[in-house]
């Protein structure tokens, strides 16, 4: 589960220099006409799991950032139905949750090892070959590279469109959005839940990805607010969760100004400016 807009999650990897303070392995990769350097290290994801982060040298970092406008243009072109809300301009986690307001039931599905599951085959014919090669390390767009979020998004967009068209073909009335590796479906008829799960799983697996079955979750408004990517949703609107408020109080108590500011802003559940201007 990736929440790039959340202040609770460190999305900016340590710098190439500061990575020296952690246990890491190092290597080189080809980027453009030169050889880049990388360091990879592990950050705790939870009590039992770790996330592998890649840091590249400053020259390679600048080189990769130069590809972002091209990748953004491709992503905007492919996401015709505005399904994805992470790593996209003028979209955010609040808007993703807002689209599910008023529905009785929500099914959330998580893709396992999202970035690491993206392969060259997912992008062939969509992106320029040299860009794919430059943005891959050890065979995938690794976490920590500035281009990886957009590349992973692009790799999954065909899957998004197939899910949406298949749901329509079976006359399943629901709202479908995706926030990075989290797929969310909202609907009013509970009978749709197993159908949506079956259809989405079959398409996701046919596209070369797999589900994190432990994180598949069916929620209903009858049990209280539905939680979507850390935001509370009910029939009236979107709200910060109790967990977020608790963290904000703790940050204030500990005088952690940076964390408190981030959590306070997150708690406002602001829609993108272009949506309300």
């Amino acid at each position: 589960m990736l929440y790039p807009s959340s202040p609770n999650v460190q999305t900016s990897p340590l710098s190439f220099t500061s990575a020296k303070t952690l246990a890491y392995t190092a290597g080189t990769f080809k980027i453009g006409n030169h050889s880049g350097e990388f360091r990879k290290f592990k950050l705790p994801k939870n009590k039992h799991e770790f996330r592998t982060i890649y840091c590249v040298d400053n020259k390679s970092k600048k080189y990769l950032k130069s590809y972002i406008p091209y990748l953004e243009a491709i992503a905007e072109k492919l996401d015709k139905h505005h399904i994805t809300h992470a790593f996209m301009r003028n979209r955010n986690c609040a808007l993703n949750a807002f689209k599910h307001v008023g529905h009785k039931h929500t099914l959330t599905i998580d893709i396992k090892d999202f970035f690491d599951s993206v392969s060259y085959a997912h992008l062939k014919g969509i992106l320029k070959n040299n860009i794919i090669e430059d943005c891959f390390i050890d065979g995938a767009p690794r976490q920590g590279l500035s281009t990886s979020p957009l590349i992973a998004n692009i790799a999954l967009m065909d899957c998004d469109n197939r899910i949406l068209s298949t749901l329509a073909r079976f006359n399943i009335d629901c709202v479908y959005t995706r926030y990075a590796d989290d797929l969310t479906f909202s609907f009013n008829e509970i009978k749709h839940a197993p159908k949506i799960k079956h259809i989405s799983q079959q398409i996701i697996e046919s596209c070369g990805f797999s589900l994190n079955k432990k994180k598949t979750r069916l929620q209903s408004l009858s049990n209280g607010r539905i939680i979507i990517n850390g935001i509370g949703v009910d029939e009236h609107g979107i709200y910060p969760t109790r967990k977020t408020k608790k963290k904000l109080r703790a940050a204030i108590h500990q005088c952690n100004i940076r964390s408190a500011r981030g959590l306070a802003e997150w708690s406002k559940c602001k829609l993108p400016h272009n949506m309300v201007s």
Side-chain angles (χ1 to χ4, degrees), residues 167-270:
L167 292 173
R169 193 175 303 125
F170 283 93
N171 296 314
I172 297 174
D173 184 18
C174 75
V175 173
Y176 168 48
T177 65
R178 178 169 60 83
Y179 196 79
D181 55 353
D182 291 310
L183 287 65
T184 304
F185 306 85
S186 288
F187 42 93
N188 290 322
E189 296 185 58
I190 192 64
K191 67 179 182 180
H192 289 329
K195 298 176 185 177
I196 293 170
K197 182 180 177 182
H198 182 84
I199 288 169
S200 57
Q201 180 173 347
Q202 183 171 330
I203 293 174
I204 288 165
E205 291 177 349
S206 72
C207 289
F209 297 94
S210 59
L211 301 186
N212 186 340
K213 295 182 180 179
K214 293 180 180 179
K215 293 186 177 181
T216 299
R217 187 180 180 191
L218 178 63
Q219 302 176 77
S220 296
L221 277 180
S222 58
N223 297 322
R225 287 180 182 172
I226 289 168
I227 307 300
I228 299 176
N229 300 127
I231 292 179
V233 179
D234 65 14
E235 64 269 30
H236 303 297
I238 57 177
Y239 314 88
T241 61
R242 291 178 182 174
K243 186 177 180 180
T244 298
K245 291 179 180 178
K246 184 177 179 181
K247 287 186 176 182
L248 175 57
R249 289 194 297 269
I252 293 172
H253 179 72
Q254 296 163 7
C255 296
N256 188 336
I257 304 302
R258 183 178 179 182
S259 180
R261 285 176 178 169
L263 286 162
E265 190 65 21
W266 175 260
S267 297
K268 295 175 183 177
C269 298
K270 288 183 178 180

Side-chain angles (χ1 to χ4, degrees), residues 14-24 39 41 55:
L14 299 178
S15 68
F16 189 72
T17 302
S18 61
K20 290 180 180 179
T21 62
L22 299 172
Y24 67 87
R39 294 190 175 108
F41 53 96
C55 277

